[in-house]
Amino acid sequence: MRKTTLGTHGPQVGVIGLGAMGMSFAYDMAAPRDEATSVSVIHQALDLGMTLIDTADVYGPYTNEELLGRALADRRDRAVIATKVGMECIDPTGGPGGAPLVKPNGRPEHVRAAIDASLRRLQTDHVELYQLHRVDPEVPIEETWGALAEAVTAGKARHLGLSEVGVEQIKRAQAVHPVATVQSEFSLWTRDVQAEVLPYCIEHGIGLLPYSPLGRGFLVGRFASFDELPKNDQRRRLPRFQQDNLRANLAITTKVREVADRIGATPAQVALAWLTAQGPHVVPIPGTKTPKYLADNAGAADVQLSPADLDDLDALPTPVGARY
């Protein structure tokens, strides 16, 4: 797979990464988790060159890091691990639909304890990228970021990243310690970061990690109606997946498939290739727990979109419904 770096000074990674969250958390929670298959997918991702693997302490909570630790026990040197801190589970079943109830926690003492716990679960002595999952509105970002910087000084993390932030928050963090990456929801139907965050990252050599780059499965045509969504799946609570909105948004998937058919690719590959074309350090992290979809996603690294293809994709209709 083609490679790039996470920002100007970050580690080298494949241009497509892997989001591990769905292996333990959020999607299709009524279905039993198949750890053997998930481990196989992680191993296959490394074999395909998808070396960046993204997780977080709150996924599960905690079980996703544990899964990744077991999967990488005999191949740690091949992976670039990105995990996150800054969200705290306050009730394992108190959220919508019985999901974990979480809230931001950016207190320095929480960060200091959390990195050691993450390293234990991941069975490693360091992570390549340690990210602030969400900014805590009750704690100055400088205090939280300073605690993350301590992990770098101690050798527990190599680089630091932010998630779901604006330019002013990036600047405030940069004044304390360099920002290697910013993680944001970014896809053909969620483009907010193009206004300010993406240009700033490009200008300052900061990597951008788009999560949900396939529109939570919608952009690849996986769901044509609300009833097709698995039970106890967080997408059932999202406005864009409500029946009337979902029906209207099918026009977007139709256009994506038209481009895919024209160039001999899949819709997933088109959606991911559009993202990698947005900047030199844009590394989407599609999530999957299925080998078939993993190989499809990896193939996006070889898809070259023409200027006409990019124009067609840039002109896609605005999705109906808010993302949350």
Side-chain angles (χ1 to χ4, degrees):
M1 179 179 288
R2 289 188 295 116
K3 292 180 170 56
T4 186
T5 56
L6 294 182
T8 304
H9 304 293
Q12 188 178 72
V13 296
V15 295
I16 308 293
L18 173 65
M21 180 187 76
M23 296 176 179
S24 310
F25 187 72
Y27 299 131
D28 196 11
M29 290 303 294
R33 281 3 214 185
D34 184 346
E35 177 162 323
T37 299
S38 293
V39 168
S40 175
V41 166
I42 292 168
H43 292 172
Q44 184 180 353
L46 295 176
D47 292 341
L48 291 169
M50 304 166 78
T51 52
L52 175 65
I53 305 179
D54 181 81
T55 183
D57 56 4
V58 80
Y59 296 161
Y62 313 128
T63 55
N64 199 242
E65 286 186 328
E66 292 170 346
L67 167 66
L68 188 54
R70 290 190 291 271
L72 297 178
D74 62 348
R75 57 199 77 198
R76 172 65 182 91
D77 60 338
R78 298 177 59 190
V80 175
I81 298 178
T83 193
K84 309 181 200 73
V85 64
M87 297 293 287
E88 180 181 23
C89 178
I90 58 175
D91 187 337
T93 59
L101 180 64
V102 300
K103 70 172 185 177
N105 185 345
R107 297 192 307 275
E109 59 269 27
H110 173 74
V111 173
R112 294 184 187 111
I115 182 61
D116 291 330
S118 285
L119 294 179
R120 285 195 299 271
R121 289 188 289 268
L122 290 164
Q123 301 183 35
T124 186
D125 62 356
H126 74 280
V127 293
E128 283 73 21
L129 181 63
Y130 200 39
Q131 304 162 96
L132 179 58
H133 206 154
R134 292 293 186 274
V135 175
D136 187 338
E138 298 181 0
V139 180
I141 190 172
E142 291 84 356
E143 294 183 14
T144 307
W145 198 245
L148 269 81
E150 291 174 16
V152 176
T153 301
K156 299 174 182 179
R158 299 290 187 259
H159 305 275
L160 301 182
L162 292 161
S163 181
E164 288 289 2
V165 290
V167 168
E168 288 307 310
Q169 292 170 314
I170 301 173
K171 290 179 178 178
R172 289 172 61 186
Q174 281 181 307
V176 176
H177 185 92
V179 175
T181 61
V182 171
Q183 185 171 151
S184 293
E185 184 170 357
F186 185 24
S187 70
L188 284 169
W189 78 341
T190 301
R191 307 189 188 199
D192 312 55
V193 299
Q194 287 183 307
E196 296 181 354
V197 171
L198 177 60
Y200 185 87
C201 288
I202 291 174
E203 179 183 357
H204 293 273
I206 297 172
L208 187 72
L209 307 182
Y211 73 83
S212 297
L214 303 178
R216 306 177 194 276
F218 183 79
L219 289 170
V220 301
R222 203 161 295 161
F223 309 107
S225 74
F226 180 84
D227 292 337
E228 293 177 7
L229 291 166
K231 303 296 183 183
N232 200 20
D233 186 298
Q234 73 169 11
R235 285 167 289 202
R236 285 178 166 263
R237 303 188 294 274
L238 301 180
R240 290 182 185 174
F241 286 90
Q242 303 311 302
Q243 185 58 53
D244 290 344
N245 293 345
L246 190 150
R247 187 180 297 113
N249 288 328
L250 289 175
I252 299 174
T253 62
T254 298
K255 291 291 186 181
V256 174
R257 181 165 290 282
E258 287 175 359
V259 173
D261 290 344
R262 185 168 71 222
I263 68 174
T266 67
Q269 291 168 352
V270 166
L272 294 171
W274 179 83
L275 284 167
T276 62
Q278 301 306 304
H281 308 295
V282 177
V283 179
I285 48 173
T288 185
K289 50 186 187 289
T290 304
K292 172 186 172 183
Y293 293 145
L294 181 79
D296 189 17
N297 294 343
D302 299 321
V303 173
Q304 296 294 319
L305 297 172
S306 71
D309 298 329
L310 292 170
D311 287 344
D312 285 349
L313 295 168
D314 288 340
L316 286 173
T318 301
V320 177
R323 63 178 177 126
Y324 293 121

